[in-house]
Amino acid sequence: MKLIGHLINGQMVDDHVRTQPVFNPATGQISKEVALAGAKTVEQAIDAAQQAFPEWRNTPVIKRARVMFRFKELLEQHADEICRLIGEEHGKILHDAAGELQRGIENVEYACGAPEFLKGEFSKNAGPDIDSWSEFQPLGVVAGITPFNFPAMVPLWMYPMAIVCGNCFVLKPSERDPSSTLFIAQLLKEAGLPDGVMNVVNGDKEAVDTLLHDPRIQAVSFVGSTPIAEYIYSTAAANGKRCQALGGAKNHAIIMPDADLDNVVNSLLGAAFGSSGERCMALSVAVAVGDQVADELIERMQVAMQGLKVGVYSETSNDFGPVITQQHQQKVIGYIDSAEQQGAKIVVDGRNLQPAGYEQGFFVGATLIDQVTPKMTSYQEEIFGPVLQIVRVSTMQQAMQLINDHEYGNGTCIYTRDGEAARYFTDQIMVGMVGVNVPLPVPVAYHSFGGWKRSLFGDLYAYGPDGVRFYTRRKTITQRWPSANVREGAQFSMPTLN
Ligand code: NAD
């Protein structure tokens, strides 16, 4: 059986303290094993990055950007292979994998602009014959720890920006679907990146803890579930590291009485069930303002959901695939059970879906639940499956209160034709990424991505302008070349230029 290893200093190695099976979630079969690195292997990756840093840091930024231009071309050339690897191990349908890859490539395109965004700031004559400027210097060796649900895109949020800014990188991808991540990282060598600048170690908690405690790691970017994000943030901070840790979500859509319901139904189908609901921006709660809206929405959703096709990644007429593991399948089904037990009404039940020919796969069918209340476990926690819950309220204020009271604040959306209501909503809602008639308001690569409340620990968002700030350190230099006419005696008070 194929053993998936690590990329260290430009070489593939497969040292491990343990291995873990990698499944094809559509068949339920083990397809590969992944090597899980121990502390020694992770330290070798950090060594390689540390050694590559002085030369990479001093490489002119235009040359660093050229690596990214070539990397983008290679990603496009190898797109089919990358999407196949994503489909095999994650289970998402090929066209969805292509969408993920494209959003990742857009971050590489943004990184190509480094000569512009690293120019710095300059003030001539900040004082008499004094010039002052700020530079944005790389941090050194930085690490990324990424989740299973976007094995290509989320790592691409991180290392193209980190590397183009002059840092060296150690990536610890999800151990559940590591192949596409590793394949993509190997393309960087072909794009001209010197060995050691980019390293990938597969592993679990032991590898992560090594990264969090090694003093050579200057900064950690994490994307994953909230309990782990909180652990990563507090441990990294306690070890003096810069950290951004993006966590889980519970994204609500408010359906106003004046909304275009046909548009809402189409939007919700994709946003709730696409990628089996395994997206941190998935819309998992629809808050209907008024019973009439709720009843009509449910009626139309029931009809539309009959047409959904669920199955293997390679059949592109499928709308979505399996969830990632059998354990996760049982967890999602458990949430549906709990909603039922706590008094909600299961309108469309996906608990027993077994697509023909894929009976052992980790499938959950699209599920619609009505009469959900904020006290229910299925409302409070992130399900991360193809489950849409309907909560009924009487006013927009009540809908907004629900969202503001929830522990997560990643994404949200309002469906309305009323510009005043939409403007009030976007201004007052306590969520980081907000849509108006747009179900998945994922910021484009030249903005930045992040949630509020317990959806993000840290100050700076992922990618875009915040990514530049995260992966660089400001240094401000104030300079004067004394000449006869500016030479002064000792000054004991702060100069004020008055
Ligand atoms: P996860 O938290 O289980 O794993 C994420 C990473 O952390 C993996 O690399 C994993 O190996 C590592 N990890 C897991 N347990 C650990 C531990 N005890 N100690 C140290 N490291 C550990 O998340 P997942 O299941 O892979 O991904 C799904 C989650 O990610 C969902 O909660 C989803 O909302 C979230 N997510 C958030 C965003 C965002 O931008 N906010 C984006 C994608 C996914």
Side-chain angles (χ1 to χ4, degrees):
M1 184 157 300
K2 183 173 180 214
L3 180 65
I4 304 162
H6 325 285
L7 174 68
I8 298 179
N9 206 18
Q11 307 298 318
M12 288 303 299
V13 294
D14 59 13
D15 310 355
H16 54 272
V17 284
R18 287 177 294 285
T19 65
Q20 181 173 311
V22 175
F23 289 86
N24 177 337
T27 61
Q29 303 300 309
I30 298 174
S31 59
K32 297 162 202 157
E33 294 273 327
V34 59
L36 302 179
K40 222 173 99 200
T41 308
V42 178
E43 280 160 11
Q44 282 166 3
I46 302 171
D47 282 345
Q50 184 84 353
Q51 279 178 29
F53 179 61
E55 201 174 323
W56 184 243
R57 166 195 196 281
N58 289 335
T59 302
V61 64
I62 191 83
K63 290 182 86 171
R64 299 200 302 249
R66 280 184 195 138
V67 173
M68 291 300 148
F69 276 104
R70 288 191 290 268
F71 183 43
K72 167 191 152 64
E73 274 180 33
L74 289 167
L75 286 167
E76 286 166 350
Q77 273 169 30
H78 292 277
D80 289 347
E81 173 71 356
I82 294 166
C83 293
R84 187 182 61 75
L85 289 170
I86 296 173
E88 262 177 27
E89 295 180 8
H90 175 285
K92 70 176 73 171
I93 312 303
L94 285 174
H95 47 74
D96 190 21
E100 151 170 14
L101 179 60
Q102 179 55 34
R103 294 304 292 260
I105 289 173
E106 288 167 16
N107 288 277
V108 181
E109 290 170 338
Y110 186 76
C112 291
E116 175 63 28
F117 59 63
L118 291 179
K119 275 194 309 204
E121 300 163 354
F122 187 86
S123 296
K124 193 179 168 100
N125 281 335
D129 289 319
I130 292 177
D131 300 329
S132 181
W133 71 93
S134 294
E135 301 177 354
F136 297 96
Q137 297 197 345
L139 306 175
V141 182
V142 299
I145 300 155
T146 51
F148 80 84
N149 65 324
F150 286 108
M153 182 184 77
V154 170
L156 289 171
W157 286 359
M158 301 176 180
Y159 63 79
M161 175 62 77
I163 287 174
V164 88
C165 288
N167 300 283
C168 294
F169 207 89
V170 180
L171 174 68
K172 206 302 284 170
S174 171
E175 62 277 39
R176 286 183 266 176
D177 52 4
S179 291
S180 62
T181 322
L182 194 59
F183 179 89
I184 290 174
Q186 286 171 279
L187 296 177
L188 276 166
K189 187 174 175 131
E190 205 180 325
L193 192 74
D195 289 347
V197 176
M198 175 68 191
N199 306 275
V200 182
V201 282
N202 281 305
D204 53 15
K205 182 171 168 51
E206 183 173 343
V208 171
D209 284 343
T210 308
L211 291 169
L212 293 176
H213 288 96
D214 193 301
R216 294 168 296 176
I217 299 288
Q218 302 296 316
V220 178
S221 296
F222 172 87
V223 177
S225 58
T226 285
I228 310 297
E230 194 167 22
Y231 166 73
I232 301 280
Y233 185 76
S234 55
T235 312
N239 286 300
K241 301 183 195 312
R242 186 178 287 198
C243 185
Q244 52 178 191
L246 282 70
K250 193 80 176 177
N251 306 313
H252 297 56
I254 299 183
I255 322 297
M256 295 288 282
D258 66 347
D260 172 348
L261 273 193
D262 286 333
N263 176 37
V264 172
V265 169
N266 284 332
S267 281
L268 287 181
L269 285 177
F273 308 129
S275 208
S276 307
E278 291 174 323
R279 291 174 175 153
C280 65
M281 289 295 277
L283 275 183
S284 52
V285 181
V287 188
V289 179
D291 279 333
Q292 201 184 332
V293 176
D295 292 341
E296 208 170 316
L297 176 67
I298 288 168
E299 203 181 309
R300 293 192 199 196
M301 284 296 291
Q302 267 179 295
V303 176
M305 286 169 70
Q306 281 168 13
L308 292 176
K309 276 190 72 187
V310 186
V312 65
Y313 73 94
S314 49
E315 176 52 60
T316 50
S317 64
N318 285 330
D319 296 305
F320 64 92
V323 297
I324 186 74
T325 57
Q326 187 169 34
Q327 192 190 14
H328 191 56
Q329 179 195 37
Q330 292 313 313
K331 191 172 165 194
V332 174
I333 290 172
Y335 278 120
I336 305 171
D337 292 343
S338 80
E340 191 170 39
Q341 284 152 15
Q342 291 171 18
K345 184 174 162 208
I346 314 296
V347 182
V348 180
D349 190 346
R351 281 175 287 192
N352 295 311
L353 181 81
Q354 287 190 329
Y358 295 94
E359 289 80 2
Q360 304 305 313
F362 310 139
F363 289 95
V364 181
T367 299
L368 184 66
I369 310 181
D370 188 19
Q371 309 286 359
V372 173
T373 68
K375 289 213 161 63
M376 294 178 183
T377 316
S378 65
Y379 176 80
Q380 288 165 359
E381 296 178 12
E382 181 182 41
I383 299 178
F384 223 52
V387 181
L388 177 65
Q389 305 192 89
I390 310 279
V391 181
R392 294 166 179 248
V393 296
S394 314
T395 65
M396 177 179 164
Q397 283 295 351
Q398 287 170 348
M400 287 178 61
Q401 197 61 50
L402 272 178
I403 298 173
N404 288 346
D405 287 346
H406 206 284
E407 71 167 307
Y408 296 119
N410 216 40
T412 188
C413 168
I414 189 166
Y415 287 96
T416 183
R417 290 179 167 114
D418 179 343
E420 191 184 356
R423 190 166 186 270
Y424 179 75
F425 174 77
T426 57
D427 183 49
Q428 294 291 319
I429 206 73
M430 300 291 288
V431 171
M433 295 173 283
V434 182
V436 176
N437 300 315
V438 172
L440 301 175
V442 177
V444 288
Y446 37 99
H447 286 255
S448 295
F449 183 109
W452 285 16
K453 298 186 274 182
R454 289 172 60 76
S455 291
L456 185 145
F457 301 87
D459 308 300
L460 290 167
Y461 281 18
Y463 68 75
D466 272 19
V468 181
R469 289 289 175 266
F470 186 78
Y471 293 120
T472 57
R473 243 194 285 255
R474 178 186 286 267
K475 181 180 277 180
T476 305
I477 297 126
T478 305
Q479 174 177 278
R480 178 172 71 182
W481 295 99
S483 60
N485 52 350
V486 294
R487 201 156 279 150
E488 297 162 344
Q491 281 199 10
F492 294 96
S493 51
M494 302 278 288
T496 57
L497 299 187
N498 277 332

